[in-house]
Amino acid sequence: MFLVVKKSEKGTLTSFHSEKTCSANFTSTAMARCIYASVSVPPTDHSDHECQSQGVRSCGECLAAGPHCAWCTEETFLEVGRSIWERCDTARVLLRRGCPSDHLEDPRGSTVLLKNKKITLHPKEQRTQARWHKQVTQLQPQSVQMPLRPGEPQSLEVRFKRVEDYPIDLYYLMDLSFSMEDDLPNVKKLGADLMEEMRNTASDFRMGFGAFVDKTVMPYISTAKDMLRNPCKRTKPWPCTPPFTYRHLLSLTANGSRFAELVGGQRISGNLDSPEGGLDALVQAAMCEEQIGWRNVTRLLVFSTDAGFHLAGDGKLGGIVLPNDGKCHLEENVYTRGNSQDYPSVAHVAETLRRKNIQIIFAVTEEVTHLYEGLRSIFPKCAVGTLSNNSHNILQIIALTSEVVMENSKLPPGFSISYTSHCKNSGPRHGEQGRRCSNISIGDEVSFNVSITAPQCATASQRPSRVIIKPQGYGEEVEVLLSSICECSCQKDVVPHSPSCSHGNGTLECGVCRCNEGRVGVSCECDGEESGEVVESHLCRRGNASEVCSGRGECVCGRCVCGKSSKKPNYYGQFCECSDFDSCRVFTLPGRGRCVCGECKCLPAFRGRACECPLSLESCLSQDGQICGGRGDCHCGTCICHDNRFQGPTCEKLTKN
């Protein structure tokens, strides 16, 4: 006999032929073992994982038992003596045990695209239209729905393309405290260099600026009247600008000469302590979108200073205890709550910049570089440069716009997310590096594989949740609507008072009876009060001398419920007399029959003690259409040649003497 396992593209068994020879003279047991040994196991897929279903009593509980568990809803699926939890197993095992495929509950997670506008290929063609940047798409898709099977990761591909000549808004925030006197020329030059260089980078480039000092109360500044008018009166012969917390000086504009004129005309102010009120200014510059003139384009902010910063809690030194509310409070371009609200915290500023999609570059003196380097791990899309090196600062800005870092909003409790990046000229990267791609040139496209896993049903929320995935510093985002699959579709088709449940004494749900109160039994056939172990145990014995349920189960309502232990083998049958390890169950070829309590029940196209013999003569037909070429008989799908001079699958080869 010749048997070969032929595998389909999906790895399932489709036909059997093989080079292994099983002699027709073998005993039936030896023949079965030979056939069984010839069958290769298909490649492992998710359905081969073990499903821990012990104790499961419903389809919903089956789904909660693990991501590889499936449920059979066919009412007659379980053989006599089987436990309800044996309806729950891997899909492959249930199908092998005879569950019809249309009665299999095995819901899988999926990714459904709700909005999938394609990435813009040629934005130049749209520049003649008003507000063309609003019609450009750099991120795809835009909205997806992800029903998740708990414990089973589901993936989503997010693509990003850096579109040519995308508009840029840059806001320049200057420290005008007294200590900046020596650095003010560098600050002014940096502003002018930025305007010139960025206009060469993007044709649609706008720039604005503002300045900050500190809160105008003691001990941050001197509150003497003459010092409030001119804080430099006692140290400099010329007047200084009166102190202020934050002042917005120029809204975002493409007028380069106006920007250079205003920046060049700035004078320093004065204060007493070294830390400044820069965090106050950052929050106002981010939140006052209308006054600043921010568009929904690439947003950059350059922050120049030579000192550290006050943060939340420092306001108590000046008697200010009211927390910073993070709202815009500009009146006539001046921050009006500086003396009544505390400084914001670093985390507060970081979250504000993240929500407003602002990328920040700190241009600072070398003495405080280490302080602002510490913010890089907290602030989104952050870079640090020195005031004495304007060319380096400009390169930092360009580097920020050429890097994509993916982030997401807070996940529902128990959910997890991971990223794999596919960047230019590099292989897949995982972990934190899986969130970013650097050195992206104009026109380059990168992609991120985002994998999301839901928690087990016991902890998963049944309400859909909304999560946002986006590149830091960009206004475009992917909306992800998450939900957990914790119910079977058959749970919607319950049959109350079903005739299958002992004349209406229960509800039929997913092939199983849920008994009404006071009723027990597989089919709710017994009255719980009248049922008793002593009275009914005789119904669970094969004879007076035998054990109840052969010692392999328990008697419930006059019927044996077998295999209560998770240990192998599992038993079934009227008295739990049948085992999963019956010889025919081991040796019956998959797809050719079933083993029922030690006896092989073959499908119509097969016969034999192990269903090893196909009834079809197709494999014995020679090229001329004769059975075994007219030189032999077809036995179990294999030719047995009459004349030893002829060999081959159909006795067509003449051997040489």
Side-chain angles (χ1 to χ4, degrees):
M1 177 176 291
F2 300 89
L3 292 171
V4 170
V5 178
K6 184 178 179 182
K7 302 170 187 172
S8 70
E9 293 181 359
K10 295 184 179 180
T12 55
L13 300 178
T14 55
S15 60
F16 303 87
H17 325 263
S18 178
E19 300 301 327
K20 183 172 179 65
T21 303
C22 299
S23 171
N25 296 324
F26 283 177
T27 63
S28 59
T29 302
M31 174 71 75
R33 288 175 178 171
C34 178
I35 294 171
Y36 187 76
S38 302
V39 180
S40 301
V41 178
T44 301
D45 59 17
H46 77 84
S47 63
D48 284 323
H49 293 273
E50 189 172 356
C51 169
Q52 300 291 345
S53 60
Q54 177 74 22
V56 165
R57 299 197 56 82
S58 68
C59 188
E61 290 181 11
C62 180
L63 298 189
H68 309 297
C69 293
W71 179 269
C72 185
T73 64
E74 171 62 46
E75 288 185 50
T76 59
F77 171 66
L78 291 182
E79 295 147 329
V80 175
R82 291 286 191 181
S83 300
I84 291 177
W85 60 264
E86 293 183 80
R87 288 182 176 273
C88 182
D89 211 320
T90 63
R92 183 177 206 137
V93 169
L94 293 177
L95 291 172
R96 189 177 295 160
R97 286 171 50 195
C99 180
S101 58
D102 57 342
H103 284 266
L104 194 68
E105 284 280 348
D106 186 27
R108 313 313 314 172
S110 62
T111 300
V112 182
L113 298 176
L114 302 180
K115 187 177 181 182
N116 191 33
K117 185 179 178 182
K118 292 184 178 180
I119 290 175
T120 302
L121 298 178
H122 304 290
K124 287 185 177 181
E125 300 174 358
Q126 302 177 5
R127 290 184 193 170
T128 57
Q129 306 175 22
R131 299 182 178 181
W132 71 273
H133 63 273
K134 293 188 176 181
Q135 303 172 20
V136 172
T137 300
Q138 298 185 108
L139 192 68
Q140 183 185 4
Q142 296 78 43
S143 181
V144 300
Q145 187 174 30
M146 295 181 72
L148 302 176
R149 178 77 182 265
E152 178 187 52
Q154 191 66 34
S155 296
L156 162 69
E157 184 187 35
V158 177
R159 299 166 56 208
F160 176 87
K161 180 178 180 180
R162 190 179 174 197
V163 174
E164 181 180 359
D165 210 12
Y166 196 71
I168 296 176
D169 284 350
L170 188 150
Y171 192 73
Y172 192 34
L173 197 53
M174 305 165 56
D175 177 3
L176 290 183
S177 61
F178 186 77
S179 61
M180 284 289 290
E181 180 184 16
D182 295 338
D183 300 299
L184 192 57
N186 283 334
V187 172
K188 294 178 179 179
K189 185 177 186 302
L190 175 59
D193 291 349
L194 282 173
M195 172 60 80
E196 181 179 354
E197 183 64 30
M198 295 305 292
R199 292 182 74 173
N200 294 330
T201 303
S203 60
D204 188 359
F205 172 70
R206 302 191 312 163
M207 199 164 180
F209 85 98
F212 65 90
V213 181
D214 209 339
K215 297 184 182 296
T216 56
V217 296
M218 285 289 290
Y220 315 111
I221 68 163
S222 173
T223 55
K225 290 185 178 180
D226 58 339
M227 295 297 288
L228 286 175
R229 288 192 298 268
N230 180 13
C232 303
K233 179 179 180 179
R234 300 175 185 177
T235 56
K236 298 292 180 182
W238 58 81
C240 292
T241 300
F244 56 91
T245 304
Y246 163 68
R247 183 176 294 156
H248 169 55
L249 297 167
L250 177 67
S251 297
L252 292 162
T253 178
N255 189 339
S257 58
R258 178 61 177 161
F259 175 84
E261 176 187 349
L262 285 177
V263 171
Q266 295 305 304
R267 294 181 300 169
I268 61 171
S269 183
N271 63 327
L272 297 178
D273 63 343
S274 177
E276 317 297 1
L279 297 190
D280 266 338
L282 273 177
V283 170
Q284 294 303 301
M287 294 302 299
C288 299
E289 295 180 276
E290 183 177 347
Q291 292 90 330
I292 303 299
W294 292 114
R295 298 175 293 176
N296 190 24
V297 298
T298 299
R299 297 177 174 185
L300 304 175
L301 190 150
V302 177
F303 182 99
S304 63
T305 184
D306 69 339
F309 45 84
H310 283 294
L311 66 164
D314 288 354
K316 293 180 180 180
L317 298 172
I320 303 171
V321 296
L322 189 66
N324 193 290
D325 63 7
K327 298 179 180 179
C328 176
H329 295 292
L330 286 186
E331 293 182 12
E332 297 181 355
N333 292 328
V334 175
Y335 179 39
T336 59
R337 298 289 179 90
N339 295 345
S340 60
Q341 290 189 3
D342 194 7
Y343 301 97
S345 67
V346 170
H348 185 173
V349 177
E351 180 58 27
T352 300
L353 295 176
R354 181 176 288 107
R355 284 191 291 112
K356 297 302 180 181
N357 302 312
I358 295 175
Q359 307 172 52
I360 189 168
I361 300 94
F362 291 109
V364 300
T365 55
E366 292 184 2
E367 293 77 11
V368 295
T369 300
H370 67 282
L371 179 63
Y372 289 90
E373 284 284 355
L375 297 178
R376 295 184 64 176
S377 61
I378 303 173
F379 283 16
K381 292 294 287 288
C382 175
V384 180
T386 57
L387 279 171
S388 59
N389 191 346
N390 286 354
S391 60
H392 175 71
N393 293 327
I394 293 170
L395 289 176
Q396 291 276 44
I397 294 174
I398 295 174
L400 268 187
T401 60
S402 66
E403 182 181 47
V404 175
V405 181
M406 301 301 292
E407 64 179 8
N408 54 268
S409 60
K410 185 178 180 180
L411 294 170
F415 282 74
S416 62
I417 189 169
S418 63
Y419 293 81
T420 301
S421 60
H422 300 273
C423 307
K424 177 183 177 183
N425 300 326
S426 69
R429 299 191 299 176
H430 311 279
E432 281 304 307
Q433 292 302 314
R435 291 176 174 264
R436 65 180 68 235
C437 284
S438 303
N439 301 319
I440 303 175
S441 303
I442 299 296
D444 286 347
E445 182 177 311
V446 296
S447 66
F448 299 86
N449 185 275
V450 185
S451 178
I452 303 178
T453 305
Q456 294 302 317
C457 290
T459 58
S461 172
Q462 301 302 307
R463 299 167 56 184
S465 302
R466 181 175 181 267
V467 173
I468 297 298
I469 299 174
K470 64 187 292 296
Q472 289 182 0
Y474 290 87
E476 296 182 61
E477 61 186 30
V478 181
E479 177 190 52
V480 183
L481 303 177
L482 299 175
S483 60
S484 298
I485 304 174
C486 292
E487 292 186 356
C488 302
S489 60
C490 59
Q491 291 178 258
K492 301 175 183 177
D493 302 320
V494 298
V495 183
H497 310 295
S498 171
S500 300
C501 301
S502 186
H503 309 291
N505 281 309
T507 298
L508 186 66
E509 179 182 296
C510 301
V512 175
C513 286
R514 285 194 290 108
C515 300
N516 297 338
E517 186 176 357
R519 304 294 296 188
V520 293
V522 175
S523 302
C524 310
E525 66 273 25
C526 294
D527 187 310
E529 295 181 357
E530 297 178 0
S531 178
E533 182 177 350
V534 176
V535 176
E536 297 170 348
S537 62
H538 72 281
L539 299 175
C540 298
R541 300 176 186 268
R542 300 185 71 173
N544 292 334
S546 64
E547 294 184 74
V548 174
C549 300
S550 305
R552 298 165 177 169
E554 62 181 1
C555 188
V556 178
C557 196
R559 293 187 182 182
C560 286
V561 178
C562 315
K564 280 294 183 181
S565 171
S566 60
K567 298 179 181 179
K568 299 294 184 180
N570 287 324
Y571 296 96
Y572 65 99
Q574 182 179 357
F575 304 105
C576 304
E577 71 275 18
C578 306
S579 167
D580 277 343
F581 280 4
D582 286 331
S583 59
C584 76
R585 185 174 293 274
V586 176
F587 298 126
T588 301
L589 285 173
R592 296 193 172 193
R594 295 179 61 195
C595 183
V596 180
C597 205
E599 182 180 353
C600 291
K601 300 293 184 182
C602 302
L603 296 178
F606 301 94
R607 62 182 174 83
R609 294 188 62 183
C611 304
E612 73 276 13
C613 295
L615 296 180
S616 172
L617 301 177
E618 183 178 356
S619 61
C620 294
L621 295 178
S622 58
Q623 292 183 353
D624 59 4
Q626 297 187 70
I627 296 176
C628 300
R631 304 183 184 95
D633 296 324
C634 186
H635 179 73
C636 287
T638 300
C639 285
I640 299 177
C641 305
H642 295 158
D643 192 334
N644 291 334
R645 293 177 301 166
F646 292 91
Q647 296 180 358
T650 55
C651 305
E652 76 281 6
K653 294 181 180 180
L654 178 64
T655 59
K656 296 180 180 180
N657 294 329

